[in-house]
Amino acid sequence: MSDMKLVVVGAAGRMGRTLVRAIAATPGVVLHAAIERQGSPALGEDAGVLAGLPALGVPVRDDALAAIVDAEGILDFTTPASTLAYAELAAQARIVHVIGTTGCSETDETAIDAAARHAVVVKSGNMSVGVNLLAGLVRRAARALGPEFDIEILEMHHRAKVDAPSGTALLLGEAAAAGRNVALADASVRVRDGHTGPRVEGTIGFATLRGGSVVGDHEVIFAGPAERITLAHHAEDRSLFAAGAVRAALWGRGRAAGRYDMDDVLGLAD
Ligand SMILES: NC(=O)C1=CN([C@@H]2O[C@H](COP(=O)(O)OP(=O)(O)OC[C@H]3O[C@@H](n4cnc5c(N)ncnc54)[C@H](OP(=O)(O)O)[C@@H]3O)[C@@H](O)[C@H]2O)C=CC1
Ligand SMILES: O=C(O)C1=N[C@H](C(=O)O)C[C@H](O)C1
């Protein structure tokens, strides 16, 4: 079988550059095009050189429609607005759309669901094997531990991150809520400030830290009456997210249109 032709959107970003390196290092895939927004200073630069590699002969461009002609998959770690635009293009082209973008609203998710009627969409707040394994453990712990255990989710990311709580924190919150058979939207407490009153039983709390160059730290704390269990993941390098995204694209090749997540890709769905 020929190499899968992948397009990286946001190719000059932190994840975009990491994705270009991951594609270059993975057999069975090839960088077909690299896209940035109109007006980006990266336009015209070689995507390989931008990523710290020898030149790949793939210049960064902004003509999305032409760039995805003949492509088989789009790797998209950008912004919700950009991701919605590429969801439509992936649906028109009936190709694989791997979405790592976080901070999407409910309305955005509905539009992505619609696109997944025609495209193979793999979307996850975290593409690493470790975090998706951790989510399964969180679900089991939340199911096993009674309501006397309070669940709090703590995350820390680099100073440039623009959304909160992180996609991973929300993914872990969904896992905890599923373990407790509740809807996260009904149970979550995302902000505390001022005179909050005592903690409401059954809630799932979120706390956000931002600073420096932290790639991504997450802790799920089960705080009981006389003991505390902490399940944690520390991402040390963005390459683990990029490797997951490339794996997701290869998994999606030739699959029926639909919306999938990393549990599907990794065979972790129970
Ligand atoms: N699911 C996962 O495993 C992971 C998800 N993420 C998520 O990925 C996203 C990106 O993160 P990160 O790489 O750190 O962010 P960056 O800001 O470094 O990169 C985003 C890139 O997308 C570009 N971009 C914005 N709009 C468009 C557009 N319309 N067309 C083409 N390119 C566009 C930006 O350009 P410009 O700067 O010029 O606007 C920028 O180069 C975030 O939502 C983050 O949370 C990150 C890591 C792992
Ligand atoms: O913005 C980031 O950097 C990251 N975003 C994802 C998230 O929101 O959880 C994944 C990872 O933690 C890095």
Side-chain angles (χ1 to χ4, degrees), residues 8-18 35-42 61-62 64 76-83 85-86 99-104 123-128 132 157-158 160-163 166-168 171 215 238 240-242 245 262:
V8 173
V9 194
R14 281 175 289 275
M15 276 306 297
R17 293 172 201 231
T18 316
I35 309 182
E36 264 296 335
R37 61 172 176 76
Q38 284 179 0
S40 164
R61 53 201 282 191
D62 62 1
D76 176 357
F77 288 63
T78 55
T79 62
S82 163
T83 290
Y86 282 91
I99 305 176
T101 307
T102 56
C104 293
K123 182 172 187 295
S124 175
N126 195 303
M127 299 275 171
S128 79
N132 287 282
H157 283 86
H158 54 94
K161 185 161 177 64
V162 295
D163 56 306
S166 68
T168 309
L171 181 159
V215 174
R238 290 185 175 84
L240 80 165
F241 310 131
M262 285 306 281

Side-chain angles (χ1 to χ4, degrees), residues 54-229:
L56 294 171
V58 180
V60 177
R61 53 201 282 191
D62 62 1
D63 51 341
L65 209 52
I68 67 165
V69 170
D70 289 336
E72 296 171 275
I74 299 174
L75 305 185
D76 176 357
F77 288 63
T78 55
T79 62
S82 163
T83 290
L84 288 200
Y86 282 91
E88 260 184 48
L89 292 178
Q92 281 164 22
R94 288 171 159 64
I95 58 177
V96 178
H97 188 191
V98 177
I99 305 176
T101 307
T102 56
C104 293
S105 67
E106 273 184 39
T107 315
D108 298 337
E109 295 293 349
T110 305
I112 292 166
D113 285 341
R117 290 204 286 270
H118 307 291
V120 179
V121 176
V122 183
K123 182 172 187 295
S124 175
N126 195 303
M127 299 275 171
S128 79
V129 176
V131 157
N132 287 282
L133 273 174
L134 178 70
L137 299 176
V138 167
R139 191 164 48 243
R140 288 182 62 184
R143 188 177 300 140
L145 299 169
E148 66 273 21
F149 278 81
D150 298 323
I151 304 179
E152 292 285 314
I153 300 175
L154 175 65
E155 56 113 332
M156 181 161 188
H157 283 86
H158 54 94
R159 66 198 306 176
K161 185 161 177 64
V162 295
D163 56 306
S166 68
T168 309
L170 293 170
L171 181 159
L172 296 170
E174 291 287 0
R180 283 204 164 159
N181 270 324
V182 297
L184 182 62
D186 298 336
S188 70
V189 175
R190 290 168 61 147
V191 180
R192 293 191 183 101
D193 187 27
H195 184 84
T196 60
R199 195 179 195 285
V200 177
E201 189 173 288
T203 51
I204 298 173
F206 289 86
T208 299
L209 307 180
R210 292 284 176 268
S213 57
V214 179
V215 174
D217 285 352
H218 293 88
E219 287 185 16
V220 182
I221 302 160
F222 296 86
E227 59 182 338
R228 210 159 61 243
I229 300 164

